Amino acid sequence: MMFSAAAESLLRQAREIQAEELAKFCSRVSQLLQKEDSGPDATQALRRLFLIVAATKYNRKLERTCVDLLQTTLLQPASPEQLQLLCAAVLREMAPSNSLHLPWDRIQNTRQLSLVASVLLAQGDRAQVSSVGQRVFRVLESRQPEGPSLRPLLPVVSKVISLAPGTLHEDQVNLLNRRLGDWLRYAGLQQGPAPSPGGFFSAPRARQPGPVTEVDGALATDFFTVLSVGQRFTEDQWLNVQAFSMLRAWLLYSGPEGPGTPDADDRSELEGSTLSVLSAASHPLPPQEQLREKAFEYCQRLLEQSTRRALRKGDADLQKACLVEAVLVLGVLCRQEPSFLYRTLSGLKALHARLCADPAWARALLPIAQFFLDHGEAAAVDAEAICQHAFTRIPSEFFHSPTLAFEFVRFCRDNLSLFGRNLGILRLSFPSLFKLLAWNSPPLTAEVAALLPSLVDASTAAEMLHALLDLPCLTAALDLQLRSSPAVSDRPLWDASIRVPSCLEAFRDPQFQALFQHLLRTKASGTMERLAPLHQLLQPMAGCARVLQCAEAVPTLLQVFFSAVGQFADGALTNQLAQLLLERSDALYPVPGYEACVHRVLSSQFLVLCKRHPSLVVELAKELLEFVGGGSGVHGGGHVLTSVVWAVGEYLAVSWDRRCTVDLINKFFEALEALLFEVTQSRPSATLPKCPPQLIATLMTTLTKLASRSQDLIPRVSLFLSKMRTLAQGPAVGSLGCREDAGAIGRRATELLNLLKMPSVAQFVLTPSTETAEPRYHRDTNTALPLALRTVSRLVEREAGLLPG
């Protein structure tokens, strides 16, 4: 959420206030609350106190006197409503608290009871939640037409059933079923009366309320709903609105699978209202079934009202929200009572056809797709086409809507089990999902990471890896797409300080259209385009804030991707991913800091691939030789090149793959020897940056390993190691880095030279059999490997005259 500078300043002050200053402020609040006429000063002080207790994750400790006065103000019927609201808000933020004492049993004012109940419910005590629920239902059971308004109590009922399911009795469930049904169906069609101006000459005729209208201005001829329009509303009309707002939660609670389900044999002695009894006279249905029938009629009425053209934007937005909720309620009704399904299908099919032609209603497509996923099989309706339309259209056209993006990803996550055989639709649509991620990466990263293992399979793994590495580039392309579009409703914010006329020209240039179309595709194409030209064209946008945010998410997603692929990858796919990893290590979008972060992940994952499939080194020998010979891996910290060199030394052996030959070992030795000479003898420059000491040490170790397997190479590597030791011990360490790094490299060279003086022992140590990977070879001092290392050390030292003969 974005705050203004003033709001940020207030939040910072609230978080940084110290205990001593807070105690003084509580004393001031206490003094203001004790005044008979507190005025606006008390209101302002309570607002600041609420900000202080709400702005931090931990509980603030307030003075006991202040807490007592907050409770007293809340319980006093004569206290101003605004003060009571603020006192309740502060007390809720302090929850859980042991200093509360709110005797609420005898409160008659429903608004005050609602505020006190909200404080008690925030404590999280299930027994207290149950007590609050029983008290609220005793008020609901009262049938005084002119009594206190029941509106403030309905949010309390919703909170009670969410915090403590199963606490309501059967008769209470039936009571609320009847009340909700009456409020939904029998609200009046006349607007509420205008407030009387008073005076002797007031005109009573002018104050007569008029009828409510539809959103298009026509007089309402059917029953009242949340979409009925008027200047003022009556009590029963407000209850109608609130009843619809809690309807879905109540249906789920009191439905067949809910914790509040009454027994099928309804013998409640509570009577329903007169209207409810009359409406059910011909067919005396149980209260729950009566509510479902009225809820169904209400939702059908909302579907009809959604076809009207609203005169005001606010009413149009309300239409969309109510349509979404109505479709969700219909889905619940059809799950609980299958007979509603066949009465709903034709209307929803027509609704889907209508909404597909109007982009303004895109958000309603997801609930409709959800409905057909839930009920398509029972109704013999193919949900595949409806889901395919949603997957194609919503991410492509509305990726810039944060709300819709989050709802879409959650829709995919929540329905993985329902896709079943149609999971291929979701997997092929991963480029569309990545658009949502590219534009909304900070809030959606965790959601997509959880969804990613279900998206990848053997057929899309390589293409998906390309797409993940190109996510920041996709963000830049989406920015250009929005900048070049003639009009975008709810246009998102971007970094206006970055001017990209050359990028916009390239985006419109037919020469690059194929590349941009591939990057912005909606479905997996099975092809991997080289996007290096786009990386160069879009380089001016690499510093955009949104691109930088997206780049930060890629390393996490890469780790999730490789972890998922590891569950099913065979040798061929492992080789393909390893080759792709090498190719893309020097073909990344030039976002600041992006290459180094990605290289760290790719280097570790390359080793995982080699460990899973050791023959990879032999099977990709040509590609690995080209990668090592190119020397480009030194860029970006040399992480990938270091992993490749280590893998060659570890797995280029007959013990791992019998296809490994002496000729192949010699080829790798010559390539690595040339690379080590180049990075140690050349001065660092822009084209050849400083070589990391880890890479130099790994190169020396790998050359020694290869020499132990092809012993004709031992003289060459011994000579080279001697030179490295001399260079490290010399006054000018040069390309070896600092003195500490040079010392470590010199010690490594000495250790390797000592090993090579006994080739048979060197081969045993540097190319151990697979059995030596077992822990006992490293824990037991009497086993072969530790014994061999100690023996060769003593023999070499004796030859050097370091020990007495």
Side-chain angles (χ1 to χ4, degrees), residues 321-337:
C322 290
L323 180 62
V324 168
E325 184 66 17
V327 174
L328 292 174
V329 171
L330 285 173
V332 174
L333 290 173
C334 292
R335 282 201 303 272
Q336 296 180 352
E337 179 53 61

Side-chain angles (χ1 to χ4, degrees), residues 412 571 577 634 661 730 803:
C412 294
L577 294 177
V634 178
T661 63
L803 290 176

Side-chain angles (χ1 to χ4, degrees), residues 396-450:
S396 297
E397 299 180 16
F398 303 98
F399 60 86
H400 52 79
S401 170
T403 302
L404 194 52
F406 181 79
E407 289 178 353
F408 187 87
V409 176
R410 288 296 300 182
F411 167 80
C412 294
R413 281 194 63 186
D414 294 343
N415 289 287
L416 283 175
S417 60
L418 292 176
F419 283 119
R421 290 172 299 179
N422 293 326
L423 193 59
I425 302 174
L426 183 60
R427 287 173 173 165
L428 290 176
S429 300
F430 80 82
S432 292
L433 281 170
F434 282 6
K435 289 184 182 181
L436 303 178
L437 173 64
W439 195 259
N440 307 276
S441 54
L444 284 188
T445 300
E447 295 291 328
V448 175

